[in-house]
């Protein structure tokens, strides 16, 4: 039996989501779950991941299914498994069992969808085969998912309203994913003193996720070269003076993500220079979380993190000037060239398939500024919104080595002083923070952030 | 630096492959590596896997690259990484460095490919985006990869000749993948006595693969329900009387696969009934390997395995009649409803993207027989060919419970006697066997197959 059938039914929560959607859009919507994708040949597929918009309303990761949402009703379109299916893949729940589990008002074979999809709005599926099917069935071309228009765009905007604010069913899943990710990080820290390669730490962390029957929500980053922001390499050896940066998050069986980064010393002890920078990054992290509540602009959190880090770097003698001036001039972005975080939900960058439609409030656009252009979220916080807070400090050769930057920031950066911090290549501290009516709930709070606590966890494995 | 750049260069082997190809086809060939595929949104991709035909001639998993093969020469088409690439993904080798590493005779930006691709044969890429690009660039429609015609089919047939016979460079990779898979299985056995869920064993096994910087060559099967042939579920609890079937294989960084199955007792001791059936499956496994040498028909190995298992089941009183008659009537397929194995190489079912063109010798087709139709390989063995040998015994409800089967095989099966073997749901024993000039080399021989040896490995973890 499929694992998710053993979970409590989300039917009531799904019904409420449909009710909220019906209050925002009049036109029926059809959403497709998608198909699994061949890796090296069609039958050798990547693990199937259902489309997130589908998952939000259908609840469970059905493959090759569609749903129609109309006035709060849910119609499920799903074919019964063929006769060879049970031999090769075992018994799976049939259409009626799934319909009952998800609280569908009606259920049909996929062949019925054509007749019932006329005039429906939709959101593009992830895989191209399913997208081609959407186009054919709806008898119209479908723009790219970040360029939707008319009814599809109206549907996207309504879905964004819903998905921006997590209900209790979603939070239950998000907390489960966070809890497993916390254990994964603890396992990674503990295995580090005996590990020779980055890959062994990664294996310990992903092993926890697999053992808990979850998936990685994104490609794990486990590296002593944290200065490479999305470092997918993990073949480097670990040496005692290194910092290991691990950005690893689990995704629950129903598709809900977590996203945690910690940076720990391979030896179990931060060097004084590493510790000094670590505490600056942590100060930025803590300042952001302390100031979060409904109404606060996420962009202001980003600027707050920049200011806290700039002030810390001035104190260390690495930067010169007033922190606010340094941030104004984007000096912080030499060290912190990404945004303070992003939305989190069914996607690790939630709803990024829709471009900036979810991340940016209506009328707002990406900044041209070097220090702001990478910001993925620019909205006022609201209760129910889940975001990451992930300040970092990186010594990136392509930024530091750039003669234009060296000249432009000659007065602001004490390059000689910075040279004394060569053992700090990359530090990031990332938590998943839910905005509540009164402030925040840090879903990943069970994983320590303080340097001493991290050291203890690593040394426990020595 | 990219991990594969630290491996020894395969340039000489690649040159020899090109030379062999040039002896078989006159027309130039262009092969694409493919692009990574979005999982839930475009930027959150599945781990990239380059197309296997590309890998065979280019050696390394370049993303978004193409090669042109003409008269033994290799031209590489690859764009230099853009300016933001180093910030996010780190320094990667540039076009010239890659060209030197793989022994290319010339290297160009991708934009040059159009002018040089005219009239070339090709094989379809795996991902649809790349396939669309192929169609556009070659200015012709491309059939599905199992329905190729004209020059493309001639190219496919030549590539099959090459890939059917593994050279030393390939064997080096295949042995590395096999060695890691062996360690993974040992780890899985050792962790079993303390594991509560299938998923924990799976985690231990895949952890070994990740720690060794390899990938799983296919979706792992780790289950107490081995009777479901491709069971992708792994949430069941382990109980002492269960057999755990694990079909898990690693794929090397350069894309070469292994494929191992073992079936071990959760308690560390096979029950007498489990042991009796295990030894029958093992006898079939050993008989096949013992009779392998160039010239032997793979189909005859399949029939040999069927006959050995039928004889064993007659001895146990589960079947009645002469083994050869039982096989003739497909009675074996009630218990063994798949083929004895398949080709193994860059793909776990090697070259299955080409349909049966690689697996079936020219002029041969799939049998209509229930007991032979699932056979993926029907060729005479030849030196250099790598195949799996994977006999199995399964009690599949949809086969056993089928009243037609019950009636058809009423005289042949002693259902009452079979009922005494209810604790044997599924057993498979699979090894990777290279055909040599004089016989075989079992690449996975380091992992024991004898029941007592398996029991010792499991009990070592108790
Ligand atoms: Mn993040
Ligand atoms: Mn196999």
């Amino acid at each position: 039996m499929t694992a998710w059938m053993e979970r409590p039914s989300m039917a009531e929560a799904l019904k409420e989501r449909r009710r909220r959607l019906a209050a925002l859009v009049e036109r029926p919507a059809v959403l497709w779950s998608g198909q699994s994708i061949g890796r090296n040949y069609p039958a050798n597929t990547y693990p199937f991941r259902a489309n997130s918009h589908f998952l939000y309303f259908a609840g469970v990761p059905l493959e090759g299914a569609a749903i129609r949402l109309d006035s709060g009703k849910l119609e499920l379109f799903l074919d019964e498994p063929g006769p060879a299916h049970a031999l090769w893949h075992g018994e799976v729940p049939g259409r009626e069992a799934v319909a009952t589990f998800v609280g569908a008002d009606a259920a049909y074979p996929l062949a019925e969808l054509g007749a019932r999809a006329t005039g429906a709005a939709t959101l593009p599926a992830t895989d191209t085969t399913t997208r081609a099917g959407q186009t054919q069935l709806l008898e119209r071309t479908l723009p790219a998912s970040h360029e939707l228009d008319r009814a599809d765009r109206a549907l996207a905007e309504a879905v964004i309203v819903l998905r921006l604010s997590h209900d209790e069913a979603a939070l239950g899943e998000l907390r489960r994913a966070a809890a497993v990710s916390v254990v994964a990080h603890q396992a990674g820290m503990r295995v580090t003193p005996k590990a020779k390669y980055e890959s062994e730490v990664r294996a310990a962390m992903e092993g926890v996720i697999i053992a808990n029957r979850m998936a990685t929500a994104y490609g794990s980053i486990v590296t002593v070269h944290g200065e490479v922001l999305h470092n997918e390499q993990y073949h480097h050896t670990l040496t005692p003076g290194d910092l290991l940066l691990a950005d690893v998050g689990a995704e629950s069986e129903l598709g809900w993500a977590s996203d945690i980064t910690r940076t720990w010393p391979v030896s179990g002890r931060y060097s004084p220079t590493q510790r000094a920078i670590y505490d600056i990054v942590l100060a930025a992290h803590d300042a952001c979380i302390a100031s979060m509540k409904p109404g606060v602009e996420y962009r202001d959190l980003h600027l707050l993190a920049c200011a806290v880090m700039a002030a810390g770097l001035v104190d260390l003698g690495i930067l010169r000037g007033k922190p606010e001036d340094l941030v104004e001039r984007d000096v912080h972005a030499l060290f912190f060239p990404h945004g303070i975080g992003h939305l989190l939900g069914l996607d690790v960058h939630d709803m990024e398939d829709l471009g900036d439609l979810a991340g940016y409030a209506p009328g707002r656009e990406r900044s041209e500024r070097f220090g702001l252009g990478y910001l993925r979220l620019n909205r006022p916080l609201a209760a129910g919104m889940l975001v990451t807070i992930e300040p970092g400090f990186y010594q990136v050769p392509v930024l530091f080595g750039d003669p234009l930057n060296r000249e432009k920031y000659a007065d602001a950066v004490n390059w000689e002083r910075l040279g004394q911090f060569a053992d700090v290549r990359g530090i990031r501290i990332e938590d998943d923070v839910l905005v509540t009516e009164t402030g925040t709930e840090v879903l990943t709070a069970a994983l320590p952030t303080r340097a001493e606590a991290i050291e203890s966890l690593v040394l426990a494995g020595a």
Side-chain angles (χ1 to χ4, degrees), chain A residues 298-310:
Chain A
Y298 193 77
R299 182 177 177 278
D300 289 340
L301 296 178
H302 179 76
L303 292 169
L304 172 62
C306 298
V308 170
M309 286 196 282

Side-chain angles (χ1 to χ4, degrees), chain A residues 39-83:
Chain A
R39 185 176 174 265
N40 41 347
Y41 57 92
N44 200 35
T45 57
Y46 288 107
F48 175 66
R49 171 53 155 77
N51 175 273
S52 293
H53 303 298
F54 173 91
L55 274 178
Y56 187 78
F57 291 103
V60 294
L62 305 168
E63 191 169 340
I67 52 173
R68 181 171 180 272
L69 303 164
D70 188 6
S71 314
K73 301 283 185 201
L74 170 65
E75 293 171 6
L76 173 68
F77 298 84
L78 177 68
D79 283 343
E80 300 285 0

Side-chain angles (χ1 to χ4, degrees), chain A residues 247 259 342 349 388 390 430:
Chain A
D247 187 346
D259 185 6
H342 48 84
H349 295 166
T388 67
E390 49 177 311
E430 175 177 30

Side-chain angles (χ1 to χ4, degrees), chain A residues 324-387:
Chain A
E324 53 275 30
D325 297 346
L326 295 168
V327 173
E328 188 78 23
R329 289 174 60 199
D330 288 333
V331 180
H332 66 275
L334 275 178
F335 307 91
F336 176 46
H338 62 73
I340 189 65
H342 48 84
L343 293 169
L344 181 64
L346 281 162
D347 308 308
V348 62
H349 295 166
D350 208 27
M351 299 178 272
E352 196 178 286
D353 63 314
L354 302 173
D356 281 336
L357 205 56
Y360 274 58
R364 297 186 185 178
E365 284 184 1
R366 294 265 180 156
S367 167
E368 299 282 312
R369 270 180 62 183
F370 170 46
L372 280 172
Y374 280 125
L375 197 57
R376 295 179 191 272
L377 176 57
N378 187 347
R379 279 185 176 272
L381 300 179
M385 194 183 284
L386 179 63
V387 302

Side-chain angles (χ1 to χ4, degrees), chain A residues 15 70 135 154 185 200 254 335 344 369 410 436:
Chain A
K15 192 171 180 182
D70 188 6
T135 302
H185 278 259
E200 292 165 58
L254 302 182
F335 307 91
L344 181 64
R369 270 180 62 183
T436 64

